[in-house]
Amino acid sequence: MSEREIYDYIVVGAGSAGCVLANRLSADPGNRVLLIEAGGKDDWIWFHIPVGYLFAIGNPRADWMFRTEAEPGLNGRSIAYPRGKVLGGCSAINAMIYMRGQAADYDGWRQLGLEGWGWDDVLPWFLRHEDHHAGASDRHGAGGEWRVEQPRISWPILDAVREAGVEIGIPKTADFNRGDNEGSGYFEVNQRRGRRWSAATAFLKPVLHRPNLHVVDRAHAESILFEGPRAVGLAYVREDGTPFEVRARGEVLLSAGAIGTPRLLEISGLGRPGAVQGIGARLRRALPGVGENLQDHLQLRTIFRIEGARTLNVDYQSYLKRALMGVDYALRRRGPLTMAPSQLGLFAKSSPEYATANIEFHVQPLSLDRFGEPLHDYPAITVSVCNLRPTSTGSTHATSADPHAEPAIRPNYLSTPEDRRVAIDSIRLARKLVAAPALSRYRPNEVLPGAQAQDEAALAEAAGAIGTTIFHPVGTAKMGRPDDPLAVVDSQLRVIGVPGLRVVDASVMPRIVSGNTASPTMMIAERAAAFILADTKAR
C-alpha cells in the first residue's frame, strides 16, 4: 500500500453532503481527503441552465433511473425514483428551492433524545454557508458558499394563485425560512445570476486546487473494508473495471444518500441480519434499522386547464418564442430558462387539528404527464400538494451483493389512515384554491384528478392514481438514542458499534423535515464536519 493510497478521510458520494464534507475536511492542509463519486462530471450544459431539470430527470446521463416496487397505496403502480448521477448529486438536477423546514421539525428531533439538533442548535450551521441575496441578519447569512437568490421571472397567473390563497385564508409571507413557513410566496432559489448553483459548484470546484483533496468520479463503491470491528477503508471499481482499495487513517464517511448509503452498508455486512444474509453477504454487525424508516414527500399533481393566461405550455409550442427565450437567457440570464420546477409555494394546514403547516403546494405555470415527457399543448397550471409530515414509512434494501444491482425501493405511500386523510383533504383544498374569485377570470377546468372524483373513496383512489415522489427520500440510516432499536447512527452520526464509520447525508434524519431536503442535508454535513474534526483533535 503506497502512501498516496492512504487518506485521513474517505468520503463516499459527492452529492449535497459529500461536497460540503470534502470542502470542510480538506481546509486543513494536514488532512488528506479522498472523495469518491459513482457519477460523472457536471460537464453537460443542462446541469447549469436551471430549466435543464426537464432534460436531466429521467435521463441516464444524470439520473440513476431507479424505480420503486409496485406500491399498493399508488394503486399498484411502480414509479420512477430519480437520484442524481453526477458530481453535485441531486443538487445538480433538483428544484433548486432553498428551504430549511420548520423549527418544530428540529425541536422534535431534540425531543427524541438527540441533543444538539434543536432549531436553535442547527440554525447557526445553516447560516455558516449561506450567501443570501438580502445580506446578513439574525435569520440569514452572507458571504458563504451556498447562494440564495430571488427568481428571475414572474408569471401573472402565479400572482393570481397567490391572491387566491389569501382569499381562502393562506396569508402572504416574505420568508419561508424563519422557522414557521406557513403562508404563500415565491420560492428563493439556489442560483447565481440565473445559473444553477449546485453543491459541486458551491463547495467543491472552488477547492479542487487543494493538493490534499483527491476527487475520483465514475468510481463505484463496492464495499467498506474492516479490520476487526473497525472500518478502515473502501474497495471501489472504476468505470473501466479497474479495482482499487484505499485506506483511511481517520474515518470512512458515507454520503451516498438515502438509497445509496443503506445499500452500501448492507453489501458490506451491516444491517438487518435477514437482509444481509439474504443477499449472500457476511454479517458483520446487526443493525436492524438499515434501509428501514424510509420517508418521502408524496406529491399529488393536480392539473387545471385555464384560459387567457400565459403559461410555459403555450410559449414552448412556438419556435419563435423558444428562440426568444434562448436570447433572453444568453443576454440577460433571465426568462423561462431560469425557472425552477416550481415558482410559487403555499404552506398551509390541511385541517385545523395541525399546529403548524402540514402541506406544501408547488405551483407551476406548466403541465406535463411526468418529468422527461413533453409539455401539454394547452394552457394549464399544475398545483402539486404534498404531505410534509407523512406517517407512512417504507424501506429500501440491496437485492444482491453486487453493488451495481438495482435496490428494492418500497416507500409504502398512503399506508396509514392519517396519510390518506391528508391526501383527500389536500385535493379538496387545491380545488378550493383554484375556485377562489382571484382565478375566476381564467376559467380553470380540472384535468387531474378529474372533477368526477368527489366522495372519500373516489378521492383516495384518485390520490393513488396521481401521486408521485417529490424526490425527498430520507431516514434510512436514522439517528437515534442507544435504546432505539432502529437507530443506525448516534447523535454525532457515528455508526453504532462500528468505529471509524459515519453516515453523513439525508438518511440520518429520524423524521423528515417540513419542506425541501437539500439544504437541511448540507446543514447536517456542516455539523458532521465539526464533529469529525473535534474527534480528530481529541485523539
CSV table of all heavy atoms in Angstrom, one decimal, residues 125-160:
chain,number,residue,atom,x,y,z
A,125,TRP,N,-25.6,26.6,11.8
A,125,TRP,CA,-25.0,25.8,10.7
A,125,TRP,C,-25.6,26.0,9.4
A,125,TRP,O,-24.9,25.9,8.4
A,125,TRP,CB,-25.0,24.3,11.1
A,125,TRP,CG,-24.3,24.1,12.4
A,125,TRP,CD1,-24.9,24.0,13.7
A,125,TRP,CD2,-22.9,24.0,12.6
A,125,TRP,NE1,-23.9,23.9,14.6
A,125,TRP,CE2,-22.7,23.8,14.0
A,125,TRP,CE3,-21.8,24.0,11.8
A,125,TRP,CZ2,-21.4,23.7,14.6
A,125,TRP,CZ3,-20.5,23.9,12.3
A,125,TRP,CH2,-20.3,23.7,13.7
A,126,PHE,N,-26.9,26.4,9.3
A,126,PHE,CA,-27.4,26.9,8.1
A,126,PHE,C,-26.8,28.2,7.7
A,126,PHE,O,-26.4,28.4,6.5
A,126,PHE,CB,-28.9,27.1,8.2
A,126,PHE,CG,-29.8,25.9,8.1
A,126,PHE,CD1,-30.4,25.4,9.2
A,126,PHE,CD2,-30.0,25.2,6.9
A,126,PHE,CE1,-31.2,24.2,9.2
A,126,PHE,CE2,-30.8,24.1,6.8
A,126,PHE,CZ,-31.4,23.6,7.9
A,127,LEU,N,-26.6,29.1,8.7
A,127,LEU,CA,-26.1,30.4,8.4
A,127,LEU,C,-24.6,30.4,8.0
A,127,LEU,O,-24.2,31.2,7.2
A,127,LEU,CB,-26.3,31.3,9.6
A,127,LEU,CG,-27.7,31.5,10.2
A,127,LEU,CD1,-27.6,32.5,11.3
A,127,LEU,CD2,-28.6,32.1,9.1
A,128,ARG,N,-23.9,29.4,8.4
A,128,ARG,CA,-22.5,29.4,8.2
A,128,ARG,C,-22.1,29.4,6.7
A,128,ARG,O,-21.2,30.1,6.3
A,128,ARG,CB,-21.8,28.2,8.9
A,128,ARG,CG,-20.3,28.1,8.6
A,128,ARG,CD,-19.7,26.9,9.3
A,128,ARG,NE,-18.2,26.9,8.9
A,128,ARG,CZ,-17.4,26.0,9.3
A,128,ARG,NH1,-17.8,25.0,10.0
A,128,ARG,NH2,-16.1,26.1,9.0
A,129,HIS,N,-22.9,28.7,5.9
A,129,HIS,CA,-22.5,28.6,4.5
A,129,HIS,C,-23.5,29.4,3.6
A,129,HIS,O,-23.4,29.3,2.4
A,129,HIS,CB,-22.4,27.2,4.0
A,129,HIS,CG,-23.6,26.3,4.2
A,129,HIS,ND1,-23.6,25.1,4.9
A,129,HIS,CD2,-24.9,26.5,3.8
A,129,HIS,CE1,-24.8,24.6,4.9
A,129,HIS,NE2,-25.6,25.4,4.2
A,130,GLU,N,-24.4,30.1,4.2
A,130,GLU,CA,-25.4,30.8,3.3
A,130,GLU,C,-24.9,32.1,2.8
A,130,GLU,O,-24.1,32.8,3.5
A,130,GLU,CB,-26.7,31.1,4.2
A,130,GLU,CG,-27.8,31.7,3.4
A,130,GLU,CD,-29.1,32.0,4.2
A,130,GLU,OE1,-29.0,31.9,5.4
A,130,GLU,OE2,-30.1,32.3,3.6
A,131,ASP,N,-25.3,32.4,1.6
A,131,ASP,CA,-25.0,33.7,1.0
A,131,ASP,C,-26.3,34.3,0.4
A,131,ASP,O,-26.7,34.1,-0.7
A,131,ASP,CB,-24.0,33.6,-0.1
A,131,ASP,CG,-23.6,35.0,-0.7
A,131,ASP,OD1,-23.7,36.0,0.0
A,131,ASP,OD2,-23.1,35.0,-1.9
A,132,HIS,N,-27.1,34.9,1.3
A,132,HIS,CA,-28.4,35.3,1.0
A,132,HIS,C,-28.4,36.7,0.3
A,132,HIS,O,-27.7,37.6,0.6
A,132,HIS,CB,-29.2,35.4,2.3
A,132,HIS,CG,-30.7,35.5,2.1
A,132,HIS,ND1,-31.4,36.7,2.0
A,132,HIS,CD2,-31.6,34.5,1.9
A,132,HIS,CE1,-32.7,36.5,1.8
A,132,HIS,NE2,-32.9,35.2,1.7
A,133,HIS,N,-29.3,36.8,-0.7
A,133,HIS,CA,-29.4,38.0,-1.5
A,133,HIS,C,-29.7,39.2,-0.7
A,133,HIS,O,-29.2,40.3,-1.1
A,133,HIS,CB,-30.4,37.8,-2.6
A,133,HIS,CG,-31.8,37.7,-2.1
A,133,HIS,ND1,-32.6,38.8,-1.8
A,133,HIS,CD2,-32.6,36.6,-1.8
A,133,HIS,CE1,-33.8,38.3,-1.4
A,133,HIS,NE2,-33.8,37.0,-1.3
A,134,ALA,N,-30.3,39.1,0.4
A,134,ALA,CA,-30.7,40.3,1.2
A,134,ALA,C,-29.6,40.6,2.2
A,134,ALA,O,-29.7,41.6,3.0
A,134,ALA,CB,-32.0,40.1,1.9
A,135,GLY,N,-28.5,39.9,2.3
A,135,GLY,CA,-27.5,40.1,3.2
A,135,GLY,C,-27.7,39.5,4.6
A,135,GLY,O,-28.7,38.7,4.8
A,136,ALA,N,-26.8,39.7,5.5
A,136,ALA,CA,-26.8,39.1,6.8
A,136,ALA,C,-27.9,39.7,7.7
A,136,ALA,O,-28.2,40.8,7.7
A,136,ALA,CB,-25.4,39.2,7.5
A,137,SER,N,-28.5,38.8,8.5
A,137,SER,CA,-29.5,39.2,9.5
A,137,SER,C,-29.5,38.1,10.6
A,137,SER,O,-28.7,37.1,10.5
A,137,SER,CB,-30.9,39.3,8.9
A,137,SER,OG,-31.3,38.1,8.4
A,138,ASP,N,-30.4,38.2,11.5
A,138,ASP,CA,-30.5,37.1,12.5
A,138,ASP,C,-31.0,35.8,12.0
A,138,ASP,O,-30.9,34.8,12.6
A,138,ASP,CB,-31.4,37.6,13.7
A,138,ASP,CG,-32.8,37.9,13.3
A,138,ASP,OD1,-33.1,38.1,12.1
A,138,ASP,OD2,-33.7,37.9,14.2
A,139,ARG,N,-31.6,35.8,10.8
A,139,ARG,CA,-32.1,34.6,10.2
A,139,ARG,C,-31.4,34.2,8.9
A,139,ARG,O,-31.8,33.2,8.3
A,139,ARG,CB,-33.6,34.8,9.9
A,139,ARG,CG,-34.5,34.7,11.2
A,139,ARG,CD,-34.5,33.3,11.7
A,139,ARG,NE,-35.2,33.2,13.0
A,139,ARG,CZ,-34.7,33.3,14.2
A,139,ARG,NH1,-33.4,33.5,14.3
A,139,ARG,NH2,-35.5,33.1,15.3
A,140,HIS,N,-30.5,35.0,8.4
A,140,HIS,CA,-29.8,34.7,7.1
A,140,HIS,C,-28.3,35.1,7.2
A,140,HIS,O,-27.9,36.0,7.9
A,140,HIS,CB,-30.5,35.4,6.0
A,140,HIS,CG,-31.8,34.9,5.6
A,140,HIS,ND1,-32.0,33.6,5.0
A,140,HIS,CD2,-33.1,35.4,5.8
A,140,HIS,CE1,-33.3,33.4,4.9
A,140,HIS,NE2,-34.0,34.4,5.3
A,141,GLY,N,-27.6,34.3,6.5
A,141,GLY,CA,-26.1,34.5,6.4
A,141,GLY,C,-25.7,35.2,5.1
A,141,GLY,O,-26.5,35.2,4.1
A,142,ALA,N,-24.5,35.7,5.1
A,142,ALA,CA,-24.0,36.3,3.8
A,142,ALA,C,-22.5,36.0,3.7
A,142,ALA,O,-21.8,35.8,4.7
A,142,ALA,CB,-24.1,37.9,3.9
A,143,GLY,N,-22.1,35.8,2.5
A,143,GLY,CA,-20.7,35.5,2.3
A,143,GLY,C,-20.3,34.1,2.2
A,143,GLY,O,-19.1,33.7,2.0
A,144,GLY,N,-21.2,33.2,2.5
A,144,GLY,CA,-21.0,31.7,2.4
A,144,GLY,C,-21.0,31.2,1.0
A,144,GLY,O,-21.2,31.9,0.0
A,145,GLU,N,-20.8,29.9,0.9
A,145,GLU,CA,-20.8,29.3,-0.4
A,145,GLU,C,-22.1,29.0,-1.1
A,145,GLU,O,-22.3,29.0,-2.3
A,145,GLU,CB,-20.1,27.9,-0.3
A,145,GLU,CG,-18.6,28.0,0.1
A,145,GLU,CD,-18.4,27.9,1.6
A,145,GLU,OE1,-19.4,28.0,2.3
A,145,GLU,OE2,-17.3,27.7,2.0
A,146,TRP,N,-23.2,28.9,-0.3
A,146,TRP,CA,-24.5,28.4,-0.7
A,146,TRP,C,-25.4,29.7,-1.1
A,146,TRP,O,-26.0,30.3,-0.2
A,146,TRP,CB,-25.1,27.6,0.3
A,146,TRP,CG,-26.3,26.7,-0.1
A,146,TRP,CD1,-27.5,26.5,0.5
A,146,TRP,CD2,-26.4,25.9,-1.3
A,146,TRP,NE1,-28.3,25.7,-0.2
A,146,TRP,CE2,-27.6,25.3,-1.3
A,146,TRP,CE3,-25.5,25.6,-2.4
A,146,TRP,CZ2,-28.1,24.4,-2.3
A,146,TRP,CZ3,-25.9,24.8,-3.4
A,146,TRP,CH2,-27.2,24.1,-3.3
A,147,ARG,N,-25.4,30.0,-2.4
A,147,ARG,CA,-26.0,31.3,-2.8
A,147,ARG,C,-27.5,31.1,-2.8
A,147,ARG,O,-28.0,30.1,-3.3
A,147,ARG,CB,-25.5,31.6,-4.2
A,147,ARG,CG,-26.1,32.9,-4.8
A,147,ARG,CD,-25.8,34.1,-4.0
A,147,ARG,NE,-26.3,35.3,-4.6
A,147,ARG,CZ,-26.4,36.5,-4.0
A,147,ARG,NH1,-25.9,36.7,-2.8
A,147,ARG,NH2,-26.9,37.6,-4.6
A,148,VAL,N,-28.2,32.1,-2.4
A,148,VAL,CA,-29.7,32.1,-2.3
A,148,VAL,C,-30.2,33.4,-3.0
A,148,VAL,O,-29.8,34.5,-2.6
A,148,VAL,CB,-30.2,32.0,-0.9
A,148,VAL,CG1,-31.8,32.0,-0.9
A,148,VAL,CG2,-29.7,30.8,-0.2
A,149,GLU,N,-31.0,33.2,-4.1
A,149,GLU,CA,-31.4,34.4,-4.8
A,149,GLU,C,-32.9,34.3,-5.0
A,149,GLU,O,-33.6,33.3,-4.8
A,149,GLU,CB,-30.7,34.5,-6.2
A,149,GLU,CG,-29.2,34.8,-6.0
A,149,GLU,CD,-28.6,35.1,-7.4
A,149,GLU,OE1,-29.2,35.0,-8.4
A,149,GLU,OE2,-27.4,35.6,-7.3
A,150,GLN,N,-33.5,35.5,-5.4
A,150,GLN,CA,-34.9,35.5,-5.8
A,150,GLN,C,-35.0,35.0,-7.2
A,150,GLN,O,-34.1,35.1,-8.1
A,150,GLN,CB,-35.4,37.0,-5.7
A,150,GLN,CG,-35.4,37.5,-4.3
A,150,GLN,CD,-35.9,38.9,-4.2
A,150,GLN,OE1,-35.3,39.8,-4.9
A,150,GLN,NE2,-36.8,39.2,-3.3
A,151,PRO,N,-36.2,34.5,-7.6
A,151,PRO,CA,-36.4,34.1,-9.0
A,151,PRO,C,-36.3,35.2,-10.0
A,151,PRO,O,-36.6,36.4,-9.6
A,151,PRO,CB,-37.8,33.5,-9.0
A,151,PRO,CG,-38.5,34.1,-7.8
A,151,PRO,CD,-37.4,34.3,-6.8
A,152,ARG,N,-35.9,34.9,-11.2
A,152,ARG,CA,-35.7,35.9,-12.2
A,152,ARG,C,-36.7,36.0,-13.3
A,152,ARG,O,-36.5,36.4,-14.4
A,152,ARG,CB,-34.3,35.7,-12.8
A,152,ARG,CG,-33.2,35.8,-11.8
A,152,ARG,CD,-31.8,35.3,-12.3
A,152,ARG,NE,-31.2,36.2,-13.3
A,152,ARG,CZ,-30.4,37.3,-13.0
A,152,ARG,NH1,-30.2,37.6,-11.7
A,152,ARG,NH2,-29.9,38.0,-13.9
A,153,ILE,N,-37.9,35.5,-13.0
A,153,ILE,CA,-39.0,35.5,-13.9
A,153,ILE,C,-40.3,35.6,-13.1
A,153,ILE,O,-40.4,35.1,-12.0
A,153,ILE,CB,-39.0,34.3,-14.9
A,153,ILE,CG1,-40.1,34.4,-15.9
A,153,ILE,CG2,-39.2,33.0,-14.1
A,153,ILE,CD1,-40.1,33.4,-17.0
A,154,SER,N,-41.3,36.2,-13.7
A,154,SER,CA,-42.6,36.3,-13.0
A,154,SER,C,-43.7,35.9,-14.0
A,154,SER,O,-43.6,36.0,-15.2
A,154,SER,CB,-42.9,37.7,-12.4
A,154,SER,OG,-43.0,38.6,-13.5
A,155,TRP,N,-44.8,35.4,-13.4
A,155,TRP,CA,-46.0,34.9,-14.3
A,155,TRP,C,-47.2,35.5,-13.6
A,155,TRP,O,-47.5,35.2,-12.5
A,155,TRP,CB,-46.1,33.4,-14.3
A,155,TRP,CG,-44.9,32.7,-14.9
A,155,TRP,CD1,-43.7,32.4,-14.3
A,155,TRP,CD2,-44.7,32.3,-16.2
A,155,TRP,NE1,-42.8,31.8,-15.1
A,155,TRP,CE2,-43.4,31.7,-16.4
A,155,TRP,CE3,-45.5,32.3,-17.4
A,155,TRP,CZ2,-42.9,31.2,-17.5
A,155,TRP,CZ3,-45.1,31.8,-18.5
A,155,TRP,CH2,-43.8,31.2,-18.6
A,156,PRO,N,-48.0,36.3,-14.3
A,156,PRO,CA,-49.3,36.8,-13.8
A,156,PRO,C,-50.2,35.8,-13.2
A,156,PRO,O,-50.9,36.0,-12.2
A,156,PRO,CB,-49.9,37.6,-15.0
A,156,PRO,CG,-48.7,38.0,-15.8
A,156,PRO,CD,-47.7,36.9,-15.7
A,157,ILE,N,-50.2,34.6,-13.9
A,157,ILE,CA,-51.1,33.5,-13.4
A,157,ILE,C,-50.7,33.1,-12.0
A,157,ILE,O,-51.6,32.8,-11.1
A,157,ILE,CB,-51.1,32.4,-14.4
A,157,ILE,CG1,-52.2,31.3,-13.9
A,157,ILE,CG2,-49.8,31.7,-14.5
A,157,ILE,CD1,-53.6,31.8,-13.9
A,158,LEU,N,-49.4,33.1,-11.7
A,158,LEU,CA,-49.0,32.7,-10.3
A,158,LEU,C,-49.3,33.8,-9.3
A,158,LEU,O,-49.6,33.5,-8.2
A,158,LEU,CB,-47.5,32.4,-10.3
A,158,LEU,CG,-47.0,31.3,-11.2
A,158,LEU,CD1,-45.6,30.9,-10.9
A,158,LEU,CD2,-47.9,30.0,-10.9
A,159,ASP,N,-49.2,35.1,-9.7
A,159,ASP,CA,-49.7,36.2,-8.9
A,159,ASP,C,-51.1,36.0,-8.5
A,159,ASP,O,-51.5,36.2,-7.3
A,159,ASP,CB,-49.5,37.5,-9.6
A,159,ASP,CG,-48.0,37.9,-9.8
A,159,ASP,OD1,-47.2,37.4,-9.1
A,159,ASP,OD2,-47.8,38.6,-10.8
A,160,ALA,N,-51.9,35.6,-9.5
A,160,ALA,CA,-53.4,35.3,-9.2
A,160,ALA,C,-53.6,34.2,-8.2
A,160,ALA,O,-54.5,34.2,-7.4
A,160,ALA,CB,-54.1,35.1,-10.5
